[in-house]
Amino acid sequence: MLKLTVICCLLLASVSSTSLRQKRQSDEQGCNCQCSFLSVTNDFGEEEGNCKTADETGAKWCYVDPKYEDCLDLEPSVTYNLNWSYEACSTPALDEYACRNERKKGNGNRNNNNKVQH
């Protein structure tokens, strides 16, 4: 009986966390989620951040510009006093048409839900 209770609780927790995740609206470009120009060189001489390298998940990431941290996946760095994101690597630049148009609409803030650390 205890085993069944634990399995039910785990299943319920998984469903609840998935339903609470906020998704971007289909017409929203994520323009308020932008990379900073910062990158660092690791112990192997590889440049990290600024969408230059992929992490253990295979995805590229960057440190986020503090003025534009409205990313769904924003996470604090464990090494530096900065936040990082995968999403920021795929959003249009602020001066691109998609972002100029979105900023006029005034799309709002989003939540974050990422677990990988940088």
Side-chain angles (χ1 to χ4, degrees):
M1 185 66 168
L2 179 60
K3 187 176 183 180
L4 181 59
T5 304
V6 170
I7 291 171
C8 288
C9 289
L10 290 174
L11 182 60
L12 181 59
S14 174
V15 170
S16 296
S17 68
T18 301
S19 65
L20 292 176
R21 290 185 184 147
Q22 186 178 10
K23 304 282 185 196
R24 181 190 334 279
Q25 294 178 8
S26 61
D27 64 341
E28 195 174 330
Q29 300 295 319
C31 296
N32 288 322
C33 175
Q34 296 287 318
C35 292
S36 73
F37 294 106
L38 176 69
S39 62
V40 295
T41 303
N42 67 21
D43 294 337
F44 303 104
E46 301 167 325
E47 188 174 7
E48 293 184 342
N50 211 10
C51 310
K52 303 268 186 199
T53 54
D55 63 14
E56 65 272 8
T57 70
K60 293 185 177 183
W61 59 276
C62 67
Y63 292 109
V64 178
D65 184 325
K67 294 182 230 168
Y68 301 100
E69 290 187 326
D70 190 13
C71 306
L72 287 169
D73 63 348
L74 190 70
E75 287 291 320
S77 170
V78 295
T79 310
Y80 304 102
N81 188 24
L82 300 165
N83 292 315
W84 64 272
S85 167
Y86 299 115
E87 179 187 8
C89 287
S90 64
T91 58
L94 290 173
D95 61 351
E96 290 183 24
Y97 175 79
C99 286
R100 289 193 313 262
N101 193 36
E102 180 178 317
R103 291 170 68 87
K104 287 179 186 175
K105 290 182 198 175
N107 285 329
N109 293 333
R110 303 180 299 264
N111 291 334
N112 54 53
N113 293 307
N114 203 333
K115 301 296 179 217
V116 179
Q117 298 178 347
H118 291 282

